[in-house]
Amino acid sequence: MDLGKILLKKIVDVAKDYIDNSMKDATPTQQERPAQRYEPEPEPEEIYRTDAEWHAFFKEILQSEFSSYTIRENVKVTDLAGFVSDEFQLYKTRPTQAYKAEWGQPYTFVLESAGTPKAVVMLGKGHSHDSNVKYLVARMYAKKSGMPYINFYTQMPNERGYVIGRIRKFLN
C-alpha cells in the first residue's frame, strides 16, 4: 500500500473516533433515578370533641393566655352593634335582600379591654363561617365595628399553639 493511502486511512480513522467521541459528549446521558416510593402524608391527629368540650378548650386558652382581656361568651350581635337601622346587603346577586344585626349568629367569645370590645372569636362546624347567613351577618357587623373576626373550624385539630398564635396575630 501506498504511504499516502495509509496516512489518509489513519487520518480518517482518527477523525471518525473524534466525531464519535464528540457525539457521545454532545448527547445528554440520562442518569438513573432512584426508585420513588410513594409514602402518603401523615394524617393530622384528629381530635374528637363535643361542642361543649371545644367551648371549654377555647375558654381556658383565652382566660390563661389573654388574661388582660375580659372574656364574654355567647354575645348577641346586637349587644355590640345595637339595634341599628342600617342593613347589610350580603350578596350582589340579590340586592333586594337585606340582613339586620339581630339576624346574626351570637359571637362565641368577645375579648374586651377597659369595657371596649377588641376582638371576636367564633367557633363553627364545617365551613359555616363561609356560607351560613347568620355567620356572615355576624362577620359583617364585627368588621363594621372595627374588630377582628377570628374564626375556628371545630373539625380541625386547633392545637393550642396554633390557636394562641392566630389570636395574637389578629390582636397585634
Side-chain angles (χ1 to χ4, degrees):
M1 252 193 174
D2 190 13
L3 183 59
K5 285 185 178 181
I6 294 173
L7 279 174
L8 186 61
K9 182 168 176 10
K10 286 283 185 189
I11 291 172
V12 168
D13 289 342
V14 168
K16 283 182 180 179
D17 287 343
Y18 177 76
I19 290 171
D20 289 343
N21 287 336
S22 297
M23 292 304 284
K24 285 181 186 175
D25 293 339
T27 306
T29 57
Q30 291 185 350
Q31 296 178 350
E32 287 187 36
R33 287 184 163 177
Q36 291 184 355
R37 293 180 289 167
Y38 172 74
E39 293 183 25
E41 296 271 331
E43 292 287 326
E45 187 177 321
E46 291 193 34
I47 300 173
Y48 295 102
R49 294 187 172 136
T50 64
D51 291 344
E53 289 171 331
W54 276 117
H55 190 87
F57 174 74
F58 275 86
K59 183 177 179 179
E60 188 277 322
I61 289 174
L62 293 171
Q63 288 175 337
S64 63
E65 298 295 326
F66 303 94
S67 58
S68 62
Y69 293 93
T70 303
I71 313 299
R72 290 177 54 200
E73 301 174 51
N74 299 319
V75 179
K76 292 181 181 178
V77 176
T78 54
D79 287 356
L80 298 183
F83 287 95
V84 291
S85 60
D86 66 329
E87 298 173 338
F88 276 106
Q89 292 166 336
L90 297 175
Y91 304 102
K92 291 180 181 176
T93 57
R94 296 182 242 158
T96 58
Q97 284 187 313
Y99 300 91
K100 299 179 180 182
E102 56 263 26
W103 297 348
Q105 176 72 25
Y107 299 119
T108 311
F109 298 101
V110 174
L111 300 168
E112 292 182 345
S113 178
T116 305
K118 298 295 181 184
V120 168
V121 175
M122 289 291 280
L123 303 181
K125 287 185 178 180
H127 289 281
S128 56
H129 303 283
D130 300 328
S131 60
N132 187 310
V133 170
K134 288 182 170 214
Y135 283 93
L136 293 173
V137 169
R139 176 183 286 163
M140 293 302 284
Y141 277 99
K143 182 179 178 181
K144 182 177 178 157
S145 301
M147 292 185 300
Y149 178 94
I150 312 163
N151 59 328
F152 291 94
Y153 301 126
T154 56
Q155 81 273 15
M156 303 303 275
N158 291 317
E159 295 172 357
R160 184 179 182 86
Y162 168 76
V163 171
I164 293 167
R166 190 149 178 260
I167 293 172
R168 281 198 176 123
K169 180 180 122 183
F170 277 95
L171 290 174
N172 293 330

